[in-house]
Amino acid sequence: MEKKAIAVLTSGGDAPGMNAAVRAVTRAALAKGMRVLGVRRGYNGLLNGDVFEMNLRSVSDIIHRGGTVLYTARSLEMLTPEGQKKAADTCRQLGIVGVVVIGGDGSFKGARALCREGILCIGIPGTIDNDIASSDYTIGFDTAMNTAMEMIDRIRDTAQSHDRCSVVEVMGRRCGDIALETGIAVGASAILVPEVPFDLQKDVIDRMMQTRKTGKQHFIIIVAEGIGGVSEIAKEIEEKTGIETRATILGHVQRGGSPTIRDRVVASQMGYKAVELISNGIGNRVVVMKDNHIVDYDITEALNMERKFNKELYDIALSISI
């Protein structure tokens, strides 16, 4: 009797810790007597048959590496009914009974479509933005924050030496979690996020001038990517305060690098849980962290959840950034 095969792919933006998840999926499945197929470049690989057999050694020495050894891509074809059927047919031809998809909401929608075509699918949240509503934590978030913090600490050295203000853009198009937690960690004077409306004069410039009266001479302003316009913000601050102000966009440096302990451990837990579900014939689920426990939700239920911004933490940041 031929062994059941499980496939694993990474989709969407890369995130540190994806490799730890791939490793956990591979080894957990092999331990259960299943075959494991690695899919290169996300759903594109599944559509084009870019698949290879994995063994225990296929995932040796990858747990500490950033990015994804399976590579990643976004697939427009997978958004179409024809593409979804083609991907499911490829799974059946290869004897794949289940697919573990590591990525964000867009990746989960592809997994849900595959489930509707009869393939068991489990989603694992891998995105540095921490913007998956169903999960308290997403793989890559901790590493991205630590990277941003290290870069901003270096920028602060220069800002302090020159009595400057530095306006720093961190990643997060629709989600301000990186900005919020990094801002607290670096002692930012102001934090601008998509979830909270702001007035540049009142919330940044006036606060800077007030704290300047207490002896503060240099300032760090953290801006989430979704706010944008850091160069314009820096220019307005300088014009209205007379403080030399520079803008810095950290960009994709936040996505790379060796994952932190938290990302490695959470990714390993989630990867193991995903295999456990598929081995029990369960699909159409998303593995998430809720209240520090690894649990699973129906994919549609998970996709329909509303993400809650931590306003309490934001208010704490506001009260201590003086």
Side-chain angles (χ1 to χ4, degrees), residues 36-254:
V36 181
L37 298 175
V39 182
R40 295 186 182 94
R41 296 177 179 84
Y43 289 114
N44 283 337
L46 205 53
L47 288 162
N48 300 313
D50 192 0
V51 174
F52 66 101
E53 189 95 19
M54 299 180 77
N55 57 39
L56 289 173
R57 300 284 70 83
S58 299
V59 291
S60 292
D61 300 320
I62 69 167
I63 196 168
H64 63 290
R65 291 167 58 184
T68 162
V69 295
L70 293 179
Y71 306 98
T72 185
R74 291 180 170 86
S75 173
L76 294 177
E77 189 178 357
M78 192 62 190
L79 298 175
T80 67
E82 296 78 16
Q84 293 157 11
K85 184 179 184 305
K86 181 181 175 184
D89 287 343
T90 300
C91 288
R92 281 185 277 270
Q93 289 164 14
L94 295 170
I96 295 169
V97 297
V99 181
V100 178
V101 176
I102 306 163
D105 278 344
S107 305
F108 295 166
K109 288 174 183 174
R112 180 174 60 182
L114 268 181
C115 287
R116 289 171 176 166
E117 292 290 336
I119 306 299
L120 298 177
C121 280
I122 305 293
I124 293 177
T127 164
I128 67 166
D129 287 349
N130 204 41
D131 61 350
I132 303 298
S134 57
S135 190
D136 294 341
Y137 185 83
T138 63
I139 296 166
F141 179 53
D142 190 59
T143 307
M145 284 193 300
N146 275 278
T147 300
M149 181 184 70
E150 182 183 343
M151 297 298 104
I152 297 164
D153 280 347
R154 296 181 183 206
I155 290 169
R156 181 220 291 279
D157 290 344
T158 294
Q160 184 173 15
S161 298
H162 294 267
D163 290 336
R164 281 180 188 153
C165 172
S166 282
V167 181
V168 184
E169 181 187 288
V170 298
M171 280 188 155
R173 284 195 301 273
R174 296 176 301 276
C175 174
D177 284 9
I178 293 177
L180 174 57
E181 298 203 25
T182 303
I184 291 174
V186 301
S189 299
I191 303 167
L192 307 182
V193 295
E195 296 89 343
V196 181
F198 70 94
D199 179 298
L200 189 63
Q201 180 66 47
K202 174 177 170 289
D203 298 319
V204 179
I205 293 168
D206 289 350
R207 284 176 65 85
M208 285 175 60
M209 298 310 289
Q210 189 63 36
T211 56
R212 200 180 192 192
K213 292 176 183 176
T214 67
K216 190 172 181 68
Q217 299 298 321
H218 68 280
F219 304 87
I220 300 289
I221 312 298
I222 303 299
V223 180
E225 181 184 4
I227 299 293
V230 289
S231 295
E232 291 75 18
I233 290 171
K235 184 179 178 183
E236 187 170 345
I237 289 172
E238 183 165 330
E239 286 174 352
K240 291 187 175 180
T241 65
I243 299 168
E244 185 182 2
T245 305
R246 300 288 177 84
T248 304
I249 298 174
L250 295 186
H252 285 85
V253 67
Q254 295 160 92

Side-chain angles (χ1 to χ4, degrees), residues 254-287:
Q254 295 160 92
R255 276 208 182 151
S258 182
T260 59
I261 285 179
R262 187 174 196 205
D263 279 327
R264 298 183 199 194
V265 172
V266 172
S268 299
Q269 289 176 288
M270 289 181 171
Y272 182 88
K273 176 72 171 179
V275 172
E276 201 172 53
L277 289 168
I278 289 176
S279 68
N280 289 325
I282 300 170
N284 203 43
R285 310 292 289 181
V286 176
V287 174

Side-chain angles (χ1 to χ4, degrees), residues 19-40:
N19 284 328
V22 170
R23 174 181 179 271
V25 168
T26 301
R27 292 194 170 166
L30 290 170
K32 290 181 180 293
M34 305 171 81
R35 293 172 56 228
V36 181
L37 298 175
V39 182
R40 295 186 182 94

